[in-house]
Each structure stands twice: as C-alpha cells, then as structure tokens.
Amino acid sequence: MNKIKFLFSCTIASLCLYSCGSNEQKSPSTNTSTPATTQSAPASSADDKGKGKFTDVTLTHPLDQGLVAKGKAVYDVKCGACHKLTEEKLVGPGWKGVTDRRKPEWIMNFVTNTDEMIDKDPAAQAMLEKCMVRMPNQHLADEDARNVLEFMRNNDGKN
C-alpha cells in the first residue's frame, strides 16, 4: 500500500513540475518574453478590453478597502492555489503588475468569461501558451470579480 502511495505521489509531483515550466528569470533588457511584453495587448488593439459584457469599469480613487478585503477573501479561496501575488508563476501567472498590463475590463471579462476569453482573445491565448495550463472557470459573480480587481489594484500599489 505504501508503494502505491509513493508512486501516486511521484506521478502527481511530476505532473505539477511539468505543468509549471521554468521559473528562470532574466534581466528585462535581454528577455523578450517577460510578462509585461508577452501578456500586454497593444494599446491600439480593439480587443484590449477582452471578450465579455464589461466595456466600462469605474475604478475607485482611493481604493475601496471593503472591496479589497472581499477580493482577498475570494483570492484566498479560489485563486491563491494557482497564482502568487508576486511576478512569479506558480501554475498560472503571478499577479504583480497585472493592473498595469491589462485594462480593468479585460481582467473582469477574463475572470467571469474565462472559456470564451481563452478561446477568442489573443492575449488570453498567449497566456495559455506560456503557462500550458488552461485556467478553470471559477464561476465568479460580477461582484466577486469587481472585488478581486480591487484586490489586484491594491496588490499593485494603486491608491
């Protein structure tokens, strides 16, 4: 029985290592595949807001700490197992700087309309190529998505 548990554990560990890829870091001047360049949609792109119902997201200034707290709670339950709050990739990409690379509408469309975004949005498809793991649809309500966005903005030092 212990041998079966050991083989199962080794198989799971191997799959995790394979799906995570390399964490090799290069300096920005020599690395053309940093998250800021490969994940950024061109500013003039018609798809910079993604695919979905969010076309105009109103941001709070200053941050709404109530939304931040609710967003952290969602992150802890649904996001933290695959995403770090740094630039480091875990299973999915790290969240540091995501609100600088993506428009708020794109982020909310991605977390609420994951399948269509991965199927049709070029930036989401590029992330899939890089991470090699399709993000599962977390079935976030619009309110939860907005809370997560506020938490991401807080993580990026927005005020």
Side-chain angles (χ1 to χ4, degrees):
M1 186 63 148
N2 284 336
K3 189 174 185 178
I4 293 172
K5 286 181 181 178
F6 175 76
L7 289 173
F8 180 74
S9 297
C10 288
T11 302
I12 296 299
S14 297
L15 288 172
C16 288
L17 288 173
Y18 176 75
S19 68
C20 290
S22 171
N23 277 337
E24 181 179 325
Q25 297 288 323
K26 295 181 182 178
S27 69
S29 62
T30 61
N31 185 357
T32 59
S33 64
T34 61
T37 56
T38 59
Q39 293 182 6
S40 294
S44 61
S45 171
D47 294 331
D48 60 353
K49 292 185 178 183
K51 312 284 184 208
K53 63 183 168 185
F54 295 101
T55 58
D56 186 30
V57 174
T58 303
L59 300 177
T60 61
H61 298 286
L63 289 173
D64 181 325
Q65 293 302 317
L67 296 181
V68 171
K70 290 176 187 175
K72 181 182 183 327
V74 173
Y75 169 84
D76 289 342
V77 172
K78 293 194 172 196
C79 312
C82 296
H83 298 279
K84 290 191 173 190
L85 297 176
T86 63
E87 294 176 352
E88 183 181 353
K89 182 179 91 165
L90 189 56
V91 175
W95 279 12
K96 188 70 175 171
V98 70
T99 60
D100 297 322
R101 295 187 302 272
R102 300 276 174 241
K103 291 190 178 255
E105 295 83 5
W106 191 96
I107 293 169
M108 291 192 58
N109 281 324
F110 186 74
V111 300
T112 59
N113 193 28
T114 308
D115 296 325
E116 183 177 5
M117 286 281 288
I118 291 173
D119 290 342
K120 298 179 180 177
D121 184 79
Q125 291 171 346
M127 279 195 309
L128 177 60
E129 275 185 39
K130 183 176 180 178
C131 294
M132 300 187 322
V133 176
R134 186 179 181 97
M135 180 173 141
N137 187 336
Q138 296 296 322
H139 303 286
L140 291 185
D142 294 353
E143 181 180 350
D144 286 339
R146 180 60 184 89
N147 296 338
V148 167
L149 174 62
E150 198 79 350
F151 176 67
M152 288 176 162
R153 292 177 63 223
N154 185 70
N155 186 59
D156 286 343
K158 309 289 188 208
N159 47 15

